[in-house]
Amino acid sequence: MSGQSLLVPGTISPPRAVPASIPRPEYVGKPAPTPYDGPEVQDAETVEKMRVAGRIAARAMEEAAKHIAPGVTTDKLDEVAHQYMIDHGAYPSTLGYRQFPKSLCTSVNEVICHGIPDSTVLRDGDIVNLDVTAYLDGVHGDNNATYLCGEVDEESRLLVERTREALNRAIKAVKPGRQLNIVGRVIESYAKRFGYGVVRDFTGHGINSSFHSGLIVPHYDDPRATTVMQPGMTFTIEPMLTLGTYEWDMWEDGWTVVTKDRKRTAQFEHTLVVTESGAEILTLP
């Protein structure tokens, strides 16, 4: 694995402005979102809105990813994604969610998830996850992917490639009538081939008009995940695989989650809707 020094917190710039004409999610300016009490199965109109929001989130992530290079700050990636979303009339869902100060998450190397964009400068050999969610027309679309920065060592490159494959396999396992635990079973059995850790405490989630509906989608084989998938259900799958332990620590910022052994980790995510025959990805560019 890369012998680079561990990440340290950088300086966080002020939150970026969103034009007043762009509608905000209900949680902006509040300590926490209002708990969701609606259905997990969405009607066709809501799913179509989620396709549009998901497409914007996917394209915003792609735009930000074009700027990943040694010497670029994670705050610059936030700027690019933020501008893309507001240019397309969408609100960056993370901005103001439980006081999160930025418009996407940037999780570098040993950061499992929820890294805050700041003055951190990307280095040759880093891996960086971008997690982008767009809110448009009353619904959210959420996706993330891990990218290589410059020349990345083979162990890290394989981790990224296999984490993407774990997500793809999990999506193929989605079928109406199956329990949600099939998702984690598929991911964990694949990850075990390579000795990877599978993060347990951060999961996929229901998503619709609510950023996190309360539905939990574990990425390990959890016998408690007995919810039966039905056509029209919308949720994310977002496996986090590690080169070592799945245990974690959190930085003092209350957001940045790092592997306890400080080994590298990768993640990929799509928002899905269950169809009559499988799953449709709603976060395609």
Side-chain angles (χ1 to χ4, degrees):
M1 196 187 84
S2 168
Q4 285 178 318
S5 58
L6 297 177
L7 212 63
V8 295
T11 301
I12 301 172
S13 66
R16 303 186 192 283
V18 178
S21 58
I22 295 178
R24 273 81 168 141
E26 59 83 23
Y27 52 74
V28 174
K30 295 165 54 179
T34 302
Y36 178 71
D37 59 3
E40 298 297 346
V41 172
Q42 306 304 311
D43 60 27
E45 181 183 3
T46 302
V47 171
E48 177 54 31
K49 289 178 179 178
M50 290 179 67
R51 281 191 194 96
V52 178
R55 190 177 306 128
I56 289 173
R59 289 176 177 171
M61 185 172 72
E62 280 193 340
E63 285 301 308
K66 290 176 184 176
H67 294 263
I68 292 173
V72 174
T73 65
T74 54
D75 192 58
K76 175 65 178 179
L77 306 179
D78 181 79
E79 177 190 351
V80 173
H82 177 93
Q83 193 62 47
Y84 187 92
M85 284 185 274
I86 66 170
D87 284 349
H88 291 80
Y91 185 91
S93 300
T94 60
L95 184 61
Y97 179 78
R98 297 183 183 272
Q99 288 80 60
F100 191 83
K102 288 293 172 178
S103 299
L104 82 165
C105 301
T106 50
S107 300
V108 180
N109 296 343
E110 69 270 19
V111 179
I112 294 171
C113 57
H114 304 158
I116 301 174
D118 59 15
S119 60
T120 296
V121 176
L122 296 176
R123 302 162 297 182
D124 187 59
D126 283 343
I127 60 174
V128 56
N129 178 275
L130 304 183
D131 192 339
V132 180
T133 309
Y135 178 76
L136 181 69
D137 207 6
V139 299
H140 301 266
D142 185 3
N143 68 163
N144 76 55
T146 303
Y147 298 90
L148 310 182
C149 181
E151 294 296 319
V152 174
D153 67 88
E154 181 74 355
E155 186 179 37
S156 299
R157 189 187 64 76
L158 285 172
L159 174 69
V160 171
E161 182 181 299
R162 290 164 176 166
T163 306
R164 182 190 291 112
E165 175 64 14
L167 172 61
N168 291 339
R169 289 175 180 233
I171 292 171
K172 288 176 183 174
V174 171
K175 295 279 192 302
R178 288 182 171 176
Q179 293 183 344
L180 268 176
N181 56 19
I182 187 67
V183 169
R185 193 175 310 138
V186 166
I187 291 167
E188 188 171 40
S189 63
Y190 180 69
K192 276 183 174 177
R193 293 192 203 175
F194 313 105
Y196 295 154
V198 181
V199 172
R200 292 173 169 238
D201 294 336
F202 300 89
T203 67
H205 52 90
I207 183 170
N208 37 66
S209 60
S210 172
F211 193 174
H212 299 88
S213 74
L215 180 69
I216 301 298
V217 184
H219 302 122
Y220 67 101
D221 188 2
D222 185 350
R224 298 167 296 178
T226 56
T227 300
V228 174
M229 292 183 271
Q230 304 172 56
M233 282 181 70
T234 50
F235 53 83
T236 72
I237 302 176
E238 44 187 302
M240 293 149 259
L241 305 187
T242 73
L243 289 175
T245 183
Y246 60 74
E247 295 180 335
W248 52 273
D249 293 320
M250 187 176 285
W251 283 3
E252 289 184 4
D253 61 26
W255 282 104
T256 306
V257 179
V258 295
T259 53
K260 190 169 278 292
D261 57 13
R262 303 304 191 261
K263 291 185 177 180
R264 287 187 168 189
T265 175
Q267 182 184 17
F268 284 83
E269 173 187 23
H270 277 305
T271 295
L272 312 170
V273 60
V274 181
T275 67
E276 295 292 342
S277 59
E280 177 194 344
I281 299 172
L282 298 178
T283 39
L284 290 175

mmCIF file with all atom_site columns, all heavy atoms in Angstrom, residues 95-116:
data_model
loop_
_atom_site.group_PDB
_atom_site.id
_atom_site.type_symbol
_atom_site.label_atom_id
_atom_site.label_alt_id
_atom_site.label_comp_id
_atom_site.label_asym_id
_atom_site.label_entity_id
_atom_site.label_seq_id
_atom_site.pdbx_PDB_ins_code
_atom_site.Cartn_x
_atom_site.Cartn_y
_atom_site.Cartn_z
_atom_site.occupancy
_atom_site.B_iso_or_equiv
_atom_site.pdbx_formal_charge
_atom_site.auth_seq_id
_atom_site.auth_comp_id
_atom_site.auth_asym_id
_atom_site.auth_atom_id
_atom_site.pdbx_PDB_model_num
ATOM 1   N N   . LEU A 1 95  ? -25.642 20.259 1.895  1.00 0.00 ? 95  LEU A N   1
ATOM 2   C CA  . LEU A 1 95  ? -25.386 21.606 2.411  1.00 0.00 ? 95  LEU A CA  1
ATOM 3   C C   . LEU A 1 95  ? -26.459 21.974 3.439  1.00 0.00 ? 95  LEU A C   1
ATOM 4   O O   . LEU A 1 95  ? -27.619 22.224 3.095  1.00 0.00 ? 95  LEU A O   1
ATOM 5   C CB  . LEU A 1 95  ? -25.365 22.614 1.265  1.00 0.00 ? 95  LEU A CB  1
ATOM 6   C CG  . LEU A 1 95  ? -25.027 24.060 1.621  1.00 0.00 ? 95  LEU A CG  1
ATOM 7   C CD1 . LEU A 1 95  ? -23.638 24.169 2.235  1.00 0.00 ? 95  LEU A CD1 1
ATOM 8   C CD2 . LEU A 1 95  ? -25.137 24.961 0.390  1.00 0.00 ? 95  LEU A CD2 1
ATOM 9   N N   . GLY A 1 96  ? -26.066 21.968 4.716  1.00 0.00 ? 96  GLY A N   1
ATOM 10  C CA  . GLY A 1 96  ? -27.011 22.282 5.773  1.00 0.00 ? 96  GLY A CA  1
ATOM 11  C C   . GLY A 1 96  ? -27.746 21.081 6.330  1.00 0.00 ? 96  GLY A C   1
ATOM 12  O O   . GLY A 1 96  ? -28.608 21.236 7.202  1.00 0.00 ? 96  GLY A O   1
ATOM 13  N N   . TYR A 1 97  ? -27.401 19.875 5.845  1.00 0.00 ? 97  TYR A N   1
ATOM 14  C CA  . TYR A 1 97  ? -28.015 18.666 6.411  1.00 0.00 ? 97  TYR A CA  1
ATOM 15  C C   . TYR A 1 97  ? -27.342 18.366 7.743  1.00 0.00 ? 97  TYR A C   1
ATOM 16  O O   . TYR A 1 97  ? -26.152 18.061 7.783  1.00 0.00 ? 97  TYR A O   1
ATOM 17  C CB  . TYR A 1 97  ? -27.852 17.482 5.452  1.00 0.00 ? 97  TYR A CB  1
ATOM 18  C CG  . TYR A 1 97  ? -28.438 16.187 5.996  1.00 0.00 ? 97  TYR A CG  1
ATOM 19  C CD1 . TYR A 1 97  ? -29.804 15.964 5.965  1.00 0.00 ? 97  TYR A CD1 1
ATOM 20  C CD2 . TYR A 1 97  ? -27.623 15.216 6.565  1.00 0.00 ? 97  TYR A CD2 1
ATOM 21  C CE1 . TYR A 1 97  ? -30.354 14.799 6.473  1.00 0.00 ? 97  TYR A CE1 1
ATOM 22  C CE2 . TYR A 1 97  ? -28.155 14.046 7.077  1.00 0.00 ? 97  TYR A CE2 1
ATOM 23  C CZ  . TYR A 1 97  ? -29.524 13.841 7.025  1.00 0.00 ? 97  TYR A CZ  1
ATOM 24  O OH  . TYR A 1 97  ? -30.066 12.690 7.543  1.00 0.00 ? 97  TYR A OH  1
ATOM 25  N N   . ARG A 1 98  ? -28.080 18.487 8.827  1.00 0.00 ? 98  ARG A N   1
ATOM 26  C CA  . ARG A 1 98  ? -27.519 18.355 10.185 1.00 0.00 ? 98  ARG A CA  1
ATOM 27  C C   . ARG A 1 98  ? -26.267 19.226 10.346 1.00 0.00 ? 98  ARG A C   1
ATOM 28  O O   . ARG A 1 98  ? -25.280 18.821 10.946 1.00 0.00 ? 98  ARG A O   1
ATOM 29  C CB  . ARG A 1 98  ? -27.228 16.892 10.506 1.00 0.00 ? 98  ARG A CB  1
ATOM 30  C CG  . ARG A 1 98  ? -28.464 16.011 10.517 1.00 0.00 ? 98  ARG A CG  1
ATOM 31  C CD  . ARG A 1 98  ? -28.131 14.579 10.925 1.00 0.00 ? 98  ARG A CD  1
ATOM 32  N NE  . ARG A 1 98  ? -29.298 13.715 10.862 1.00 0.00 ? 98  ARG A NE  1
ATOM 33  C CZ  . ARG A 1 98  ? -30.176 13.523 11.854 1.00 0.00 ? 98  ARG A CZ  1
ATOM 34  N NH1 . ARG A 1 98  ? -30.013 14.156 13.003 1.00 0.00 ? 98  ARG A NH1 1
ATOM 35  N NH2 . ARG A 1 98  ? -31.208 12.706 11.710 1.00 0.00 ? 98  ARG A NH2 1
ATOM 36  N N   . GLN A 1 99  ? -26.310 20.412 9.759  1.00 0.00 ? 99  GLN A N   1
ATOM 37  C CA  . GLN A 1 99  ? -25.246 21.418 9.818  1.00 0.00 ? 99  GLN A CA  1
ATOM 38  C C   . GLN A 1 99  ? -23.981 21.038 9.027  1.00 0.00 ? 99  GLN A C   1
ATOM 39  O O   . GLN A 1 99  ? -22.920 21.643 9.230  1.00 0.00 ? 99  GLN A O   1
ATOM 40  C CB  . GLN A 1 99  ? -24.852 21.765 11.266 1.00 0.00 ? 99  GLN A CB  1
ATOM 41  C CG  . GLN A 1 99  ? -25.893 22.593 12.008 1.00 0.00 ? 99  GLN A CG  1
ATOM 42  C CD  . GLN A 1 99  ? -27.033 21.764 12.534 1.00 0.00 ? 99  GLN A CD  1
ATOM 43  O OE1 . GLN A 1 99  ? -26.837 20.857 13.340 1.00 0.00 ? 99  GLN A OE1 1
ATOM 44  N NE2 . GLN A 1 99  ? -28.237 22.062 12.100 1.00 0.00 ? 99  GLN A NE2 1
ATOM 45  N N   . PHE A 1 100 ? -24.072 20.053 8.140  1.00 0.00 ? 100 PHE A N   1
ATOM 46  C CA  . PHE A 1 100 ? -22.907 19.780 7.288  1.00 0.00 ? 100 PHE A CA  1
ATOM 47  C C   . PHE A 1 100 ? -22.627 21.033 6.461  1.00 0.00 ? 100 PHE A C   1
ATOM 48  O O   . PHE A 1 100 ? -23.546 21.611 5.869  1.00 0.00 ? 100 PHE A O   1
ATOM 49  C CB  . PHE A 1 100 ? -23.175 18.577 6.381  1.00 0.00 ? 100 PHE A CB  1
ATOM 50  C CG  . PHE A 1 100 ? -21.950 18.077 5.663  1.00 0.00 ? 100 PHE A CG  1
ATOM 51  C CD1 . PHE A 1 100 ? -21.067 17.216 6.280  1.00 0.00 ? 100 PHE A CD1 1
ATOM 52  C CD2 . PHE A 1 100 ? -21.675 18.483 4.358  1.00 0.00 ? 100 PHE A CD2 1
ATOM 53  C CE1 . PHE A 1 100 ? -19.928 16.758 5.625  1.00 0.00 ? 100 PHE A CE1 1
ATOM 54  C CE2 . PHE A 1 100 ? -20.545 18.037 3.693  1.00 0.00 ? 100 PHE A CE2 1
ATOM 55  C CZ  . PHE A 1 100 ? -19.669 17.165 4.323  1.00 0.00 ? 100 PHE A CZ  1
ATOM 56  N N   . PRO A 1 101 ? -21.348 21.479 6.393  1.00 0.00 ? 101 PRO A N   1
ATOM 57  C CA  . PRO A 1 101 ? -21.075 22.805 5.847  1.00 0.00 ? 101 PRO A CA  1
ATOM 58  C C   . PRO A 1 101 ? -20.791 22.877 4.345  1.00 0.00 ? 101 PRO A C   1
ATOM 59  O O   . PRO A 1 101 ? -20.541 23.964 3.831  1.00 0.00 ? 101 PRO A O   1
ATOM 60  C CB  . PRO A 1 101 ? -19.816 23.228 6.618  1.00 0.00 ? 101 PRO A CB  1
ATOM 61  C CG  . PRO A 1 101 ? -19.078 21.937 6.850  1.00 0.00 ? 101 PRO A CG  1
ATOM 62  C CD  . PRO A 1 101 ? -20.152 20.904 7.062  1.00 0.00 ? 101 PRO A CD  1
ATOM 63  N N   . LYS A 1 102 ? -20.828 21.739 3.636  1.00 0.00 ? 102 LYS A N   1
ATOM 64  C CA  . LYS A 1 102 ? -20.393 21.744 2.244  1.00 0.00 ? 102 LYS A CA  1
ATOM 65  C C   . LYS A 1 102 ? -21.391 21.047 1.325  1.00 0.00 ? 102 LYS A C   1
ATOM 66  O O   . LYS A 1 102 ? -22.346 20.419 1.770  1.00 0.00 ? 102 LYS A O   1
ATOM 67  C CB  . LYS A 1 102 ? -19.006 21.106 2.128  1.00 0.00 ? 102 LYS A CB  1
ATOM 68  C CG  . LYS A 1 102 ? -17.891 21.995 2.692  1.00 0.00 ? 102 LYS A CG  1
ATOM 69  C CD  . LYS A 1 102 ? -17.741 23.238 1.832  1.00 0.00 ? 102 LYS A CD  1
ATOM 70  C CE  . LYS A 1 102 ? -16.800 24.260 2.412  1.00 0.00 ? 102 LYS A CE  1
ATOM 71  N NZ  . LYS A 1 102 ? -16.666 25.425 1.512  1.00 0.00 ? 102 LYS A NZ  1
ATOM 72  N N   . SER A 1 103 ? -21.131 21.143 0.025  1.00 0.00 ? 103 SER A N   1
ATOM 73  C CA  . SER A 1 103 ? -22.094 20.713 -0.990 1.00 0.00 ? 103 SER A CA  1
ATOM 74  C C   . SER A 1 103 ? -21.845 19.307 -1.530 1.00 0.00 ? 103 SER A C   1
ATOM 75  O O   . SER A 1 103 ? -22.601 18.833 -2.388 1.00 0.00 ? 103 SER A O   1
ATOM 76  C CB  . SER A 1 103 ? -22.100 21.730 -2.141 1.00 0.00 ? 103 SER A CB  1
ATOM 77  O OG  . SER A 1 103 ? -22.489 22.998 -1.645 1.00 0.00 ? 103 SER A OG  1
ATOM 78  N N   . LEU A 1 104 ? -20.794 18.655 -1.069 1.00 0.00 ? 104 LEU A N   1
ATOM 79  C CA  . LEU A 1 104 ? -20.558 17.236 -1.315 1.00 0.00 ? 104 LEU A CA  1
ATOM 80  C C   . LEU A 1 104 ? -19.613 16.741 -0.236 1.00 0.00 ? 104 LEU A C   1
ATOM 81  O O   . LEU A 1 104 ? -19.084 17.538 0.549  1.00 0.00 ? 104 LEU A O   1
ATOM 82  C CB  . LEU A 1 104 ? -19.997 16.952 -2.720 1.00 0.00 ? 104 LEU A CB  1
ATOM 83  C CG  . LEU A 1 104 ? -18.495 17.122 -2.961 1.00 0.00 ? 104 LEU A CG  1
ATOM 84  C CD1 . LEU A 1 104 ? -18.091 16.450 -4.262 1.00 0.00 ? 104 LEU A CD1 1
ATOM 85  C CD2 . LEU A 1 104 ? -18.096 18.574 -3.004 1.00 0.00 ? 104 LEU A CD2 1
ATOM 86  N N   . CYS A 1 105 ? -19.402 15.440 -0.179 1.00 0.00 ? 105 CYS A N   1
ATOM 87  C CA  . CYS A 1 105 ? -18.407 14.861 0.726  1.00 0.00 ? 105 CYS A CA  1
ATOM 88  C C   . CYS A 1 105 ? -17.201 14.414 -0.097 1.00 0.00 ? 105 CYS A C   1
ATOM 89  O O   . CYS A 1 105 ? -17.358 13.853 -1.184 1.00 0.00 ? 105 CYS A O   1
ATOM 90  C CB  . CYS A 1 105 ? -18.967 13.657 1.469  1.00 0.00 ? 105 CYS A CB  1
ATOM 91  S SG  . CYS A 1 105 ? -20.419 14.001 2.479  1.00 0.00 ? 105 CYS A SG  1
ATOM 92  N N   . THR A 1 106 ? -16.002 14.668 0.430  1.00 0.00 ? 106 THR A N   1
ATOM 93  C CA  . THR A 1 106 ? -14.762 14.215 -0.206 1.00 0.00 ? 106 THR A CA  1
ATOM 94  C C   . THR A 1 106 ? -14.006 13.362 0.810  1.00 0.00 ? 106 THR A C   1
ATOM 95  O O   . THR A 1 106 ? -13.547 13.875 1.830  1.00 0.00 ? 106 THR A O   1
ATOM 96  C CB  . THR A 1 106 ? -13.893 15.404 -0.644 1.00 0.00 ? 106 THR A CB  1
ATOM 97  O OG1 . THR A 1 106 ? -13.747 16.315 0.455  1.00 0.00 ? 106 THR A OG1 1
ATOM 98  C CG2 . THR A 1 106 ? -14.514 16.139 -1.824 1.00 0.00 ? 106 THR A CG2 1
ATOM 99  N N   . SER A 1 107 ? -13.916 12.070 0.552  1.00 0.00 ? 107 SER A N   1
ATOM 100 C CA  . SER A 1 107 ? -13.317 11.129 1.504  1.00 0.00 ? 107 SER A CA  1
ATOM 101 C C   . SER A 1 107 ? -12.059 10.537 0.879  1.00 0.00 ? 107 SER A C   1
ATOM 102 O O   . SER A 1 107 ? -12.140 9.780  -0.089 1.00 0.00 ? 107 SER A O   1
ATOM 103 C CB  . SER A 1 107 ? -14.334 10.047 1.870  1.00 0.00 ? 107 SER A CB  1
ATOM 104 O OG  . SER A 1 107 ? -15.475 10.639 2.472  1.00 0.00 ? 107 SER A OG  1
ATOM 105 N N   . VAL A 1 108 ? -10.915 10.902 1.438  1.00 0.00 ? 108 VAL A N   1
ATOM 106 C CA  . VAL A 1 108 ? -9.608  10.581 0.850  1.00 0.00 ? 108 VAL A CA  1
ATOM 107 C C   . VAL A 1 108 ? -8.937  9.449  1.625  1.00 0.00 ? 108 VAL A C   1
ATOM 108 O O   . VAL A 1 108 ? -8.888  9.469  2.863  1.00 0.00 ? 108 VAL A O   1
ATOM 109 C CB  . VAL A 1 108 ? -8.702  11.832 0.862  1.00 0.00 ? 108 VAL A CB  1
ATOM 110 C CG1 . VAL A 1 108 ? -7.333  11.518 0.254  1.00 0.00 ? 108 VAL A CG1 1
ATOM 111 C CG2 . VAL A 1 108 ? -9.364  12.983 0.118  1.00 0.00 ? 108 VAL A CG2 1
ATOM 112 N N   . ASN A 1 109 ? -8.438  8.455  0.922  1.00 0.00 ? 109 ASN A N   1
ATOM 113 C CA  . ASN A 1 109 ? -7.599  7.374  1.473  1.00 0.00 ? 109 ASN A CA  1
ATOM 114 C C   . ASN A 1 109 ? -8.262  6.626  2.625  1.00 0.00 ? 109 ASN A C   1
ATOM 115 O O   . ASN A 1 109 ? -9.133  5.790  2.406  1.00 0.00 ? 109 ASN A O   1
ATOM 116 C CB  . ASN A 1 109 ? -6.222  7.917  1.863  1.00 0.00 ? 109 ASN A CB  1
ATOM 117 C CG  . ASN A 1 109 ? -5.449  8.433  0.662  1.00 0.00 ? 109 ASN A CG  1
ATOM 118 O OD1 . ASN A 1 109 ? -5.774  8.117  -0.475 1.00 0.00 ? 109 ASN A OD1 1
ATOM 119 N ND2 . ASN A 1 109 ? -4.423  9.224  0.902  1.00 0.00 ? 109 ASN A ND2 1
ATOM 120 N N   . GLU A 1 110 ? -7.885  6.925  3.867  1.00 0.00 ? 110 GLU A N   1
ATOM 121 C CA  . GLU A 1 110 ? -8.405  6.184  5.020  1.00 0.00 ? 110 GLU A CA  1
ATOM 122 C C   . GLU A 1 110 ? -9.762  6.708  5.507  1.00 0.00 ? 110 GLU A C   1
ATOM 123 O O   . GLU A 1 110 ? -10.329 6.165  6.461  1.00 0.00 ? 110 GLU A O   1
ATOM 124 C CB  . GLU A 1 110 ? -7.402  6.203  6.177  1.00 0.00 ? 110 GLU A CB  1
ATOM 125 C CG  . GLU A 1 110 ? -7.203  7.548  6.852  1.00 0.00 ? 110 GLU A CG  1
ATOM 126 C CD  . GLU A 1 110 ? -6.104  8.405  6.235  1.00 0.00 ? 110 GLU A CD  1
ATOM 127 O OE1 . GLU A 1 110 ? -5.720  8.143  5.080  1.00 0.00 ? 110 GLU A OE1 1
ATOM 128 O OE2 . GLU A 1 110 ? -5.650  9.339  6.907  1.00 0.00 ? 110 GLU A OE2 1
ATOM 129 N N   . VAL A 1 111 ? -10.302 7.740  4.855  1.00 0.00 ? 111 VAL A N   1
ATOM 130 C CA  . VAL A 1 111 ? -11.613 8.260  5.241  1.00 0.00 ? 111 VAL A CA  1
ATOM 131 C C   . VAL A 1 111 ? -12.698 7.368  4.636  1.00 0.00 ? 111 VAL A C   1
ATOM 132 O O   . VAL A 1 111 ? -12.792 7.235  3.415  1.00 0.00 ? 111 VAL A O   1
ATOM 133 C CB  . VAL A 1 111 ? -11.799 9.721  4.805  1.00 0.00 ? 111 VAL A CB  1
ATOM 134 C CG1 . VAL A 1 111 ? -13.192 10.215 5.208  1.00 0.00 ? 111 VAL A CG1 1
ATOM 135 C CG2 . VAL A 1 111 ? -10.733 10.606 5.436  1.00 0.00 ? 111 VAL A CG2 1
ATOM 136 N N   . ILE A 1 112 ? -13.516 6.764  5.508  1.00 0.00 ? 112 ILE A N   1
ATOM 137 C CA  . ILE A 1 112 ? -14.579 5.868  5.054  1.00 0.00 ? 112 ILE A CA  1
ATOM 138 C C   . ILE A 1 112 ? -15.687 6.661  4.364  1.00 0.00 ? 112 ILE A C   1
ATOM 139 O O   . ILE A 1 112 ? -16.157 6.297  3.281  1.00 0.00 ? 112 ILE A O   1
ATOM 140 C CB  . ILE A 1 112 ? -15.159 5.079  6.246  1.00 0.00 ? 112 ILE A CB  1
ATOM 141 C CG1 . ILE A 1 112 ? -14.098 4.126  6.829  1.00 0.00 ? 112 ILE A CG1 1
ATOM 142 C CG2 . ILE A 1 112 ? -16.404 4.300  5.834  1.00 0.00 ? 112 ILE A CG2 1
ATOM 143 C CD1 . ILE A 1 112 ? -14.516 3.458  8.135  1.00 0.00 ? 112 ILE A CD1 1
ATOM 144 N N   . CYS A 1 113 ? -16.120 7.747  5.011  1.00 0.00 ? 113 CYS A N   1
ATOM 145 C CA  . CYS A 1 113 ? -17.221 8.532  4.465  1.00 0.00 ? 113 CYS A CA  1
ATOM 146 C C   . CYS A 1 113 ? -17.309 9.873  5.189  1.00 0.00 ? 113 CYS A C   1
ATOM 147 O O   . CYS A 1 113 ? -16.690 10.073 6.227  1.00 0.00 ? 113 CYS A O   1
ATOM 148 C CB  . CYS A 1 113 ? -18.557 7.790  4.593  1.00 0.00 ? 113 CYS A CB  1
ATOM 149 S SG  . CYS A 1 113 ? -18.994 7.302  6.274  1.00 0.00 ? 113 CYS A SG  1
ATOM 150 N N   . HIS A 1 114 ? -18.080 10.797 4.580  1.00 0.00 ? 114 HIS A N   1
ATOM 151 C CA  . HIS A 1 114 ? -18.468 12.081 5.183  1.00 0.00 ? 114 HIS A CA  1
ATOM 152 C C   . HIS A 1 114 ? -17.297 13.038 5.393  1.00 0.00 ? 114 HIS A C   1
ATOM 153 O O   . HIS A 1 114 ? -17.368 13.926 6.248  1.00 0.00 ? 114 HIS A O   1
ATOM 154 C CB  . HIS A 1 114 ? -19.212 11.864 6.516  1.00 0.00 ? 114 HIS A CB  1
ATOM 155 C CG  . HIS A 1 114 ? -20.406 10.978 6.383  1.00 0.00 ? 114 HIS A CG  1
ATOM 156 N ND1 . HIS A 1 114 ? -20.959 10.294 7.455  1.00 0.00 ? 114 HIS A ND1 1
ATOM 157 C CD2 . HIS A 1 114 ? -21.154 10.639 5.300  1.00 0.00 ? 114 HIS A CD2 1
ATOM 158 C CE1 . HIS A 1 114 ? -21.993 9.582  7.040  1.00 0.00 ? 114 HIS A CE1 1
ATOM 159 N NE2 . HIS A 1 114 ? -22.140 9.774  5.733  1.00 0.00 ? 114 HIS A NE2 1
ATOM 160 N N   . GLY A 1 115 ? -16.231 12.884 4.615  1.00 0.00 ? 115 GLY A N   1
ATOM 161 C CA  . GLY A 1 115 ? -15.148 13.850 4.671  1.00 0.00 ? 115 GLY A CA  1
ATOM 162 C C   . GLY A 1 115 ? -15.624 15.225 4.216  1.00 0.00 ? 115 GLY A C   1
ATOM 163 O O   . GLY A 1 115 ? -16.371 15.358 3.240  1.00 0.00 ? 115 GLY A O   1
ATOM 164 N N   . ILE A 1 116 ? -15.200 16.264 4.938  1.00 0.00 ? 116 ILE A N   1
ATOM 165 C CA  . ILE A 1 116 ? -15.610 17.644 4.623  1.00 0.00 ? 116 ILE A CA  1
ATOM 166 C C   . ILE A 1 116 ? -14.586 18.270 3.679  1.00 0.00 ? 116 ILE A C   1
ATOM 167 O O   . ILE A 1 116 ? -13.396 18.325 4.001  1.00 0.00 ? 116 ILE A O   1
ATOM 168 C CB  . ILE A 1 116 ? -15.718 18.484 5.903  1.00 0.00 ? 116 ILE A CB  1
ATOM 169 C CG1 . ILE A 1 116 ? -16.726 17.873 6.875  1.00 0.00 ? 116 ILE A CG1 1
ATOM 170 C CG2 . ILE A 1 116 ? -16.126 19.921 5.559  1.00 0.00 ? 116 ILE A CG2 1
ATOM 171 C CD1 . ILE A 1 116 ? -16.778 18.574 8.235  1.00 0.00 ? 116 ILE A CD1 1
#
